């Protein structure tokens, strides 16, 4: 049994558990913006990684294992990933505007976590917020640059919508997944016109 009272499957496709009982599973899912690596623990979705080519995937899985102290196991059919996969597919199909998923925030802390939680709860689909405005929402009005750093450290992009954070002068701002990916996500949400090609 793990910490949530569920039966563990050891090293099977259902999950991997270390001595402390932490289960970490991952899978790569194809989307309109390319392959995404999704990883989850018993607490919830813990990581989303853009452009999950084999090299990116291997590096992300190794980094995740190091950060969480257990070996993540590939498990596309894991119940821990079923709902995140379903909701992401619905989002990209234009059938879902909000994610209703348990999130595991253990890969981020302090100011960055505070900013990302505000972003997740306070910037809805189809809207954008400036870096400085988001800093003000968490009580740090002069911390626009630190908000940019928090966006770059976001372990849960798309689900925690850092693509919705833009420059106050109307510029699109930076994005860990690349500017074209940010444009595609904002176009999907109706904030920008769809690209011509």
């Amino acid at each position: 049994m793990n910490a949530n009272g569920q039966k563990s499957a050891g090293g099977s496709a259902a999950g991997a558990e270390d001595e402390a009982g932490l289960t970490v599973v991952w899978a790569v899912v194809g989307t309109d913006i390319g392959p995404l690596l999704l990883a989850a623990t018993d607490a919830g979705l813990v990581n989303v990684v853009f452009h999950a080519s084999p090299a990116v995937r291997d590096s992300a899985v190794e980094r995740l294992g190091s950060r969480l102290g257990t070996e993540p196991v590939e498990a596309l059919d894991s119940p821990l990933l079923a709902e995140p996969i379903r909701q992401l597919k619905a989002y990209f199909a234009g059938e879902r505007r909000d994610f209703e998923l348990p999130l595991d925030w253990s890969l981020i802390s302090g100011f960055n976590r505070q900013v990302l939680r505000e972003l997740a709860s306070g910037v809805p689909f189809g809207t954008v917020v400036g870096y400085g405005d988001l800093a003000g929402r968490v009580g740090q009005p002069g911390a626009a640059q630190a908000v940019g750093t928090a966006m770059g450290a976001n372990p849960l992009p798309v689900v925690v919508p850092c693509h919705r954070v833009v420059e106050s002068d109307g510029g699109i701002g930076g994005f860990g997944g690349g500017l074209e990916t940010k444009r595609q996500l904002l176009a999907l949400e109706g904030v920008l016109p769809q690209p011509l090609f």
Side-chain angles (χ1 to χ4, degrees):
M1 294 260 175
N2 62 26
N4 292 334
Q6 299 168 327
K7 285 187 180 177
S8 154
S12 76
E17 229 180 84
D18 70 3
E19 299 78 30
L22 180 65
T23 301
V24 184
V25 294
W26 65 272
V28 174
V29 179
T31 72
D32 292 354
I33 57 169
L36 294 177
L37 181 142
L38 307 179
T41 67
D42 290 322
L45 189 65
V46 71
N47 204 197
V48 176
V49 179
F50 290 114
H51 314 299
S53 65
V56 169
R57 176 200 67 210
D58 292 348
S59 174
V61 169
E62 183 178 325
R63 188 171 53 251
L64 190 60
S66 173
R67 296 276 312 275
L68 295 177
T70 190
E71 176 120 11
V73 170
E74 184 173 13
L76 182 62
D77 61 345
S78 170
L80 298 176
L81 292 171
E83 192 59 17
I85 290 170
R86 188 187 73 72
Q87 289 191 26
L88 274 163
K89 286 182 177 180
Y91 170 81
F92 284 108
E95 299 165 358
R96 173 173 281 279
R97 295 174 147 236
D98 302 307
F99 293 99
E100 296 170 8
L101 296 169
L103 301 177
D104 180 338
W105 293 94
S106 62
L107 294 179
I108 196 125
S109 61
F111 177 78
N112 291 355
R113 184 188 291 189
Q114 182 184 8
V115 168
L116 292 171
R117 282 182 178 266
E118 173 59 30
L119 175 63
S121 65
V123 183
F125 183 97
T127 66
V128 293
V129 65
Y131 292 93
D133 293 336
L134 190 53
R137 288 186 188 192
V138 295
Q140 301 289 330
Q145 194 168 5
V147 167
T149 300
M151 296 306 103
N154 182 2
L156 295 161
V158 182
V159 175
V160 176
C162 51
H163 59 277
R164 296 180 190 154
V165 183
V166 297
E167 295 174 347
S168 59
D169 64 4
I172 195 169
F175 194 61
L179 292 182
E180 184 53 35
T181 300
K182 186 170 187 173
R183 283 188 193 95
Q184 287 178 282
L185 291 167
L186 291 172
L188 173 73
E189 295 189 6
V191 176
L192 292 176
Q194 288 287 348
L196 296 175
F197 48 87

